[in-house]
Amino acid sequence: MKKQFLETGKITGTHGIRGMVRIQAWCDDYDFLKKFKTLYLDKNGVKSLTLEKIQPNGNVMIAKFRGIDTIENAEKLRNSILYINRDDANLPDGAYFIQDLIGCTVFDDNSKQVYGTVSDVTQTGANDVWHIKNGDNEYLIPVIDDVVKRVDIESGEIYITPLKGIFDDEN
């Protein structure tokens, strides 16, 4: 089942004395996160923060939330996990939330053989790599058009045509 509220980062500390915070973002880039007006402090979307400003700063983002105007108030947010509402996100075709991919069953597109389930995703820059777990075995699948044929998040199914040698001893 897809989560409505998705983890997107963690507040790691304060920045300055006027209530700004440092965020370790767990999304692809700054441009994605800056599109949100509201971030949430819990996985049920009960406690929300209105984002007034966000900007990159090295390997973190610096953010200002409405009503958080002092270092003391910002300090209270330290170590908070931030969530987005999936309804507020607009993903391009062929893009998926990693949290939705984890646990999907991976099938051979032709034979319908089950290869395992997605256990993790590594973002390499060139393309993502899915970790497919089957018992004690783990296989790495490049997320490229030649391999990934169909992704159905609703049913939790992914269909691939694996490269030779990934699931067998062929070269």
Side-chain angles (χ1 to χ4, degrees):
M1 174 179 233
K2 294 193 306 185
K3 297 176 187 176
Q4 185 65 36
F5 294 90
L6 305 169
E7 295 178 9
T8 195
K10 179 178 181 178
I11 297 176
T12 59
T14 60
H15 182 81
I17 61 170
R18 293 195 170 93
M20 296 184 85
V21 297
R22 289 190 322 268
I23 298 173
Q24 176 188 10
W26 299 335
C27 54
D28 286 345
D29 60 29
Y30 155 75
D31 289 329
F32 178 77
L33 197 55
K34 76 177 184 179
K35 295 176 185 175
F36 294 89
K37 292 183 170 99
T38 304
L39 298 177
Y40 300 87
L41 291 170
D42 62 286
K43 62 183 176 184
N44 297 316
V46 175
K47 298 177 187 171
S48 64
L49 293 169
T50 302
L51 192 57
E52 289 184 346
K53 179 181 179 183
I54 189 165
Q55 64 191 43
N57 186 349
N59 62 348
V60 297
M61 295 186 192
I62 304 299
K64 172 70 175 84
F65 294 107
R66 183 177 300 149
I68 308 297
D69 299 316
T70 65
I71 191 170
E72 293 80 15
N73 286 341
E75 185 61 39
K76 292 176 187 176
L77 297 174
R78 182 187 295 269
N79 294 321
S80 295
I81 303 298
L82 295 171
Y83 297 81
I84 59 169
N85 184 336
R86 94 170 32 253
D87 292 342
D88 296 339
N90 185 15
L91 292 181
D93 289 340
Y96 308 96
F97 290 113
I98 290 174
Q99 295 172 57
D100 291 340
L101 294 168
I102 304 293
C104 284
T105 304
V106 180
F107 296 89
D108 186 284
D109 192 42
N110 298 315
S111 70
K112 309 305 181 229
Q113 173 187 349
V114 175
Y115 289 124
T117 60
V118 179
S119 63
D120 198 4
V121 176
T122 300
Q123 297 177 297
T124 67
N127 57 268
D128 288 354
V129 175
W130 292 342
H131 299 241
I132 310 300
K133 195 90 163 136
N134 189 337
D136 291 335
N137 297 318
E138 182 178 67
Y139 306 95
L140 302 178
I141 305 297
V143 182
I144 57 177
D145 291 341
D146 287 348
V147 173
V148 178
K149 300 305 176 187
R150 186 167 36 118
V151 177
D152 186 344
I153 296 296
E154 296 301 321
S155 68
E157 298 177 349
I158 296 173
Y159 293 86
I160 67 170
T161 301
L163 299 172
K164 292 199 182 303
I166 291 180
F167 293 104
D168 54 35
D169 291 332
E170 293 181 36
N171 291 327

